[in-house]
């Protein structure tokens, strides 16, 4: 079973998407990665899927609640990202505005031996 490590003191990034239709969190993360990808060379598109804490064992602090957590994997990284909608002072979701942050990464068992 692969393990995960949580990062300390991660900051939220406010991210705005375009369009009038609601997007899934996975679509928002694809938009985020394509906008902020610092790699100028061609790399494989990341795979993004829901993160389930029971599929991995923690190295250090454990995740208590995996709602809003997604695993983004590409050739170089397996990052755990948290995403949620931004709300106004009346607790209504602001359309197309999201908080995103990387909270950890996956370490494969072969790297731990």
């Amino acid at each position: 079973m692969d393990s995960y490590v949580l990062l300390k003191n991660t900051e939220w990034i406010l991210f705005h998407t375009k369009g009038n239709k609601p997007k899934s969190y996975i679509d928002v993360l694809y938009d985020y990665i394509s906008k902020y990808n610092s790699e100028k060379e061609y790399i494989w598109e990341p795979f993004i899927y829901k993160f389930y804490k029971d599929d991995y064992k923690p190295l250090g602090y454990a995740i208590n609640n995996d709602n809003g957590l997604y695993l983004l994997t590409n050739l170089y990284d397996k990052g755990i990202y948290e995403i949620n909608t931004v709300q106004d002072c009346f607790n209504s979701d602001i359309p197309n505005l999201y908080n995103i942050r990387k909270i950890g990464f996956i370490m494969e068992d072969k790297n731990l031996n």
Side-chain angles (χ1 to χ4, degrees):
M1 176 182 286
D2 291 343
S3 302
Y4 65 85
V5 176
L6 297 179
L7 302 171
K8 290 184 178 181
N9 301 327
T10 59
E11 294 185 13
W12 290 103
I13 295 172
L14 198 59
F15 184 70
H16 183 267
T17 61
K18 295 181 180 179
N20 296 328
K21 295 181 181 179
K23 292 186 172 190
S24 71
Y25 282 165
I26 290 178
D27 291 337
V28 172
L29 287 169
Y30 272 116
D31 290 348
Y32 169 78
I33 292 299
S34 66
K35 182 170 184 171
Y36 291 104
N37 188 357
S38 61
E39 297 290 331
K40 299 299 180 192
E41 62 189 59
Y42 177 78
I43 62 170
W44 297 341
E45 279 291 314
F47 293 102
I48 302 174
Y49 46 93
K50 181 79 177 92
F51 175 84
Y52 295 101
K53 64 180 180 160
D54 296 334
D55 292 346
Y56 303 92
K57 61 183 176 185
L59 287 177
Y61 294 106
I63 294 173
N64 295 325
N65 182 352
D66 57 11
N67 289 338
L69 298 183
Y70 292 85
L71 189 60
L72 281 72
T73 64
N74 63 24
L75 189 58
Y76 305 109
D77 187 27
K78 288 187 176 184
I80 303 169
Y81 284 77
E82 184 176 10
I83 181 171
N84 58 46
T85 57
V86 176
Q87 295 180 332
D88 62 17
C89 60
F90 302 107
N91 288 333
S92 299
D93 290 344
I94 299 174
N96 302 324
L97 196 57
Y98 301 89
N99 277 321
I100 300 174
R101 67 180 174 172
K102 183 176 182 179
I103 64 164
F105 57 92
I106 300 295
M107 293 197 58
E108 296 178 355
D109 280 341
K110 66 182 178 182
N111 295 335
L112 298 175
N113 295 329

